């Protein structure tokens, strides 16, 4: 009997990828090579078990894997939906407005420094606008998201993978095609998009 063909579902980012022998950050193993095609055969929160074509497998941060583009939809099929950027845009706008209001209260003497610090504690807002491209910080999921005005995609995650995470994300851009990648743990302003869903549907 012929062995089934190895059909990758994801590709390792261009700069390679840290790997672990178990879904535990204390058990590192050999990193995966850049642009290595893999199959995701199991998930535990943010963790993904990546199977290579030679049979070797390792656990990785599934949020950073690049999805292999799927076949185009069949004729008559409903169009793919992408993550709607408006909810996150609204959330960032609201938080920034709240911070500005507190600054106005502080400047006018209606709020003291201690109260200002208390009421702004835990507030995290990030936005970079460059023409039609926008990068937004999604504080709820601890990740930077890239928006081209039409869809919202994860650029980079800032927290370590967790078995209680929301699950490793799939691309939400046009049926699963990946664009580029970010690096977990970097919270600086990004400069290119990376797949996985944030706010909105990815159906």
């Amino acid at each position: 009997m012929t062995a089934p063909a190895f059909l990758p579902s994801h590709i390792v980012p261009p700069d390679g990828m840290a790997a672990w022998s178990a879904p535990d950050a204390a058990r590192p193993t050999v990193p995966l090579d850049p642009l290595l095609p893999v199959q995701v055969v199991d998930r535990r929160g943010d963790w993904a078990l990546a199977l290579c074509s030679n049979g070797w497998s390792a656990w990785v941060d599934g949020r950073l894997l690049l999805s292999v583009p799927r076949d185009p939809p069949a004729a008559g099929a409903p169009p793919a939906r992408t993550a709607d950027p408006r909810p996150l845009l609204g959330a960032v706008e609201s938080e920034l407005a709240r911070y500005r209001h507190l600054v106005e209260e502080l400047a006018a003497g209606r709020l003291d420094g201690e109260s200002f610090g208390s009421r702004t504690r835990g507030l995290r807002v990030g936005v970079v606008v460059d023409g039609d491209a926008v990068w937004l910080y999604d504080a709820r999921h601890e990740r930077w998201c890239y928006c081209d005005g039409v869809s919202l995609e994860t650029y980079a995650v800032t927290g370590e993978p967790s078995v209680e995470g929301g699950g490793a994300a799939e691309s939400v851009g046009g049926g699963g095609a990946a664009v580029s990648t970010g690096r977990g743990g970097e919270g600086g302003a990004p400069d290119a998009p990376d797949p996985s869903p944030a706010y909105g549907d990815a159906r």
Side-chain angles (χ1 to χ4, degrees):
M1 179 180 294
T2 304
F6 179 82
L7 299 175
S9 60
H10 293 77
I11 295 176
V12 173
D15 51 354
M17 198 169 194
W20 293 264
S21 59
D24 181 349
R27 299 179 61 181
T29 186
V30 180
L32 299 186
D33 292 336
L35 303 178
L36 176 71
V38 299
Q39 283 182 0
V40 172
V41 295
D42 192 10
R43 294 189 186 275
R44 297 185 189 177
D46 298 327
W47 294 97
L49 181 58
L51 174 66
C52 306
S53 59
N54 63 1
W56 189 78
S57 62
W59 289 90
V60 298
D61 186 344
R63 299 170 295 179
L64 300 180
L65 286 170
L66 307 183
S67 298
V68 171
R70 302 184 181 94
D71 293 333
R81 296 184 61 188
T82 58
D84 186 346
R86 290 172 295 180
L88 182 53
L89 283 166
V92 170
E93 183 179 18
S94 175
E95 290 296 276
L96 186 58
R98 183 165 73 91
Y99 182 81
R100 177 172 179 172
H101 172 73
L102 292 172
V103 168
E104 295 286 356
E105 293 288 292
L106 180 65
R110 293 187 292 269
L111 199 63
D112 59 39
E114 183 178 351
S115 298
F116 178 78
S118 174
R119 294 177 64 176
T120 57
R121 187 172 298 118
L123 177 64
R124 301 187 72 190
V125 179
V127 57
V128 178
V129 179
D130 184 10
D132 61 353
V134 177
W135 292 266
L136 305 168
Y137 186 68
D138 176 0
R140 185 171 59 150
H141 297 102
E142 296 186 304
R143 57 189 174 188
W144 278 95
C145 297
Y146 170 81
C147 175
D148 59 5
V150 177
S151 62
L152 191 67
E153 307 170 23
T154 295
Y155 166 79
V157 291
T158 59
E160 290 186 351
S162 165
V163 292
E164 278 81 35
E170 300 294 334
S171 168
V172 295
V179 183
S180 181
T181 183
R183 297 178 179 84
E186 293 183 1
D191 57 9
D194 176 46
S196 63
Y199 283 80
D201 290 330
R203 293 196 285 263

